[in-house]
Amino acid sequence: MTEIIMLSIASLILVWMAWKLWQAKRFNRFIDWLNNSIAPLLIDQLKQEFEQSRNEQYPNKPCHVELSIAFYKKYPVRIFEAAVEREIIEPVWFDNNANKRFAAHLLFIQGQYRLQKSLC
């Protein structure tokens, strides 16, 4: 009888670990999507913004553009926030519960690298 109980507990632990592995792989695919698909779109948008806002006060030389791009690309949470702000990631994207979960998890685990800190 104790062997059956131990076997069932071990099976539950293995199923739980497999579930956690599957969730981690999905989150890693989300991070890869941000870095590989969204980041180039964000970079193009940033370059356009820098060109349009160029003036004597803000010269936006190539070194400014390169440093800004490096700043955004350093952490996926910065890519995510900038893409949401510029509507590269559309608000409809949040209708999927998995996407909300990925976004919330990303904002939590990389909170110290965020662009904007909430006062609340």
Side-chain angles (χ1 to χ4, degrees):
M1 185 65 179
T2 58
E3 290 109 9
I4 294 173
I5 294 172
M6 295 302 284
L7 186 60
S8 62
I9 291 173
S11 299
L12 287 173
I13 290 172
L14 285 174
V15 167
W16 180 78
M17 290 174 70
W19 171 254
K20 287 299 189 182
L21 178 64
W22 182 70
Q23 285 182 323
K25 285 184 177 188
R26 288 182 61 207
F27 182 73
N28 286 340
R29 274 189 248 130
F30 168 67
I31 297 296
D32 291 341
W33 173 72
L34 282 175
N35 289 328
N36 298 329
S37 298
I38 300 299
L41 298 173
L42 177 64
I43 290 169
D44 292 340
Q45 181 76 23
L46 288 172
K47 287 180 180 178
Q48 290 175 2
E49 288 176 13
F50 282 127
E51 287 177 12
Q52 291 171 355
S53 66
R54 186 173 287 154
N55 59 31
E56 288 183 22
Q57 186 177 5
Y58 301 108
N60 294 333
K61 295 181 181 177
C63 63
H64 294 112
V65 175
E66 289 174 23
L67 289 174
S68 295
I69 290 170
F71 172 79
Y72 282 104
K73 286 184 70 177
K74 185 154 175 101
Y75 298 105
V77 70
R78 291 180 185 166
I79 295 170
F80 177 74
E81 286 186 327
V84 168
E85 180 182 329
R86 289 164 177 81
E87 293 187 2
I88 295 169
I89 297 175
E90 298 175 1
V92 177
W93 180 85
F94 288 101
D95 290 342
N96 184 346
N97 283 338
N99 293 342
K100 284 182 197 175
R101 191 174 329 118
F102 294 149
H105 185 64
L106 178 68
L107 293 172
F108 176 74
I109 63 171
Q110 293 191 351
Q112 69 266 26
Y113 307 119
R114 291 183 66 183
L115 295 175
Q116 303 167 354
K117 298 249 181 193
S118 175
L119 296 177
C120 300

